[in-house]
Amino acid sequence: MNCLLCGGSLKVTLSFSWVLSWQQVQDNYLCSSCRREFVRIAGATCSGCGRRWPGMCPDCRQWQAKQAALLCNRALYVYNNAMRTYMQRYKFQGDYRLRRIFSDELQAALAKWYPRWQGWVYVPLPVDEVTWQTRGFNQVAGFLTGLSVKEVLMTIHSHHQKQSTKTRGARLQTPQPFQAKPTAARFSRVVLVDDVYTTGRTLYHAREALATVGVQHIRSVTLAR
């Protein structure tokens, strides 16, 4: 088996005690060198967006002034150069295999932070029709393959300019792209799932759409911040 990013060989060492344990072999899609390039978020984090920050960051203070409540986003990784390159290959170059690298981690985090037995449902942010036609898949839904999700958001117009190419100011001025489906009103606890939290504009748009149909408790989880 080879690393999905660099193509190098992956070596799996199985101890005798592990063989006797009958445990399932864990899928590993990255070599140790590539894995080290990704930085897990640890230590003090902002209570609003999940970035590494003691207390509440300035961005979330601004959101707090605009919103009745913050999303309390939680993220797994820092959005560094390695993650940026990964997203470029996965999303924009369309390498659907790369979803496997972080799928298990993201799904495990959702189950730990917002377990379904507590009534939480997972809602991946949708992509618009133009993105679907050009890319052929929803990158967030790709991470959640095999997990029960509720697709209760739909896009109401298409963005012809990629979010990643916009300035921060332009991102914050993005008009509402989502509308909640009528079935969303059946759920009181929703976790929005996205790939990257940058300014928060997209996630707060999704939150506003769900709130209009009566969803009361809305949180978010992203792979990176």
Side-chain angles (χ1 to χ4, degrees):
M1 190 172 180
N2 298 96
C3 173
L4 289 181
L5 291 184
C6 72
S9 293
L10 296 177
K11 296 181 180 180
V12 179
T13 303
L14 305 179
S15 66
F16 183 68
S17 61
W18 185 92
V19 173
L20 292 179
S21 72
W22 293 93
Q23 295 181 45
Q24 183 178 356
V25 176
Q26 294 295 311
D27 290 328
N28 186 18
Y29 300 106
L30 289 183
C31 66
S32 57
S33 178
C34 288
R35 175 65 70 179
R36 284 194 295 269
E37 297 297 313
F38 296 95
V39 179
R40 283 292 297 249
I41 293 176
T45 59
C46 171
S47 58
C49 65
R51 71 191 295 186
R52 292 196 292 192
W53 192 279
M56 186 176 293
C57 74
D59 290 352
C60 287
R61 291 187 185 279
Q62 293 182 22
W63 279 119
Q64 192 174 46
K66 302 174 184 177
Q67 303 288 324
L70 293 174
L71 278 168
C72 301
N73 185 72
R74 302 186 74 165
L76 278 71
Y77 285 90
V78 175
Y79 189 62
N80 60 5
N81 286 333
M83 185 61 75
R84 187 177 296 107
T85 301
Y86 165 80
M87 288 296 176
Q88 178 69 28
R89 289 180 58 181
Y90 176 43
K91 292 171 61 173
F92 304 123
Q93 295 178 17
D95 192 342
Y96 193 57
R97 301 172 307 154
L98 299 187
R99 73 192 188 283
R100 299 173 180 172
I101 293 175
F102 297 110
S103 178
D104 287 347
E105 282 183 90
L106 185 57
Q107 292 190 28
L110 286 167
K112 177 182 178 181
W113 295 334
Y114 299 104
R116 291 168 58 189
W117 63 265
Q118 291 183 352
W120 292 101
V121 297
Y122 310 135
V123 176
L125 264 61
V127 296
D128 60 42
E129 187 63 26
V130 171
T131 299
W132 184 261
Q133 290 178 0
T134 55
R135 186 183 303 160
F137 62 90
N138 178 335
Q139 75 279 1
V140 181
F143 289 135
L144 305 182
T145 300
L147 191 66
S148 176
V149 300
K150 304 298 181 183
E151 296 184 352
V152 295
L153 285 171
M154 58 184 178
T155 58
I156 53 179
H157 62 77
S158 298
H159 294 298
H160 298 290
Q161 182 182 359
K162 296 176 182 178
Q163 287 289 90
S164 60
T165 65
K166 294 181 180 179
T167 64
R168 175 179 175 79
R171 287 171 185 254
L172 291 171
Q173 295 301 315
T174 302
Q176 171 64 277
F178 304 121
Q179 180 177 325
K181 298 178 182 178
T183 52
R186 294 162 35 198
F187 307 109
S188 62
R189 292 186 166 194
V190 166
V191 182
L192 297 167
V193 187
D194 202 5
D195 50 3
V196 180
Y197 184 116
T198 306
T199 63
R201 177 66 277 180
T202 302
L203 283 164
Y204 276 105
H205 270 321
R207 177 187 181 276
E208 291 162 8
L210 291 172
T212 60
V213 297
V215 181
Q216 296 181 347
H217 305 286
I218 306 170
R219 297 289 184 267
S220 64
V221 170
T222 56
L223 176 63
R225 172 66 174 103

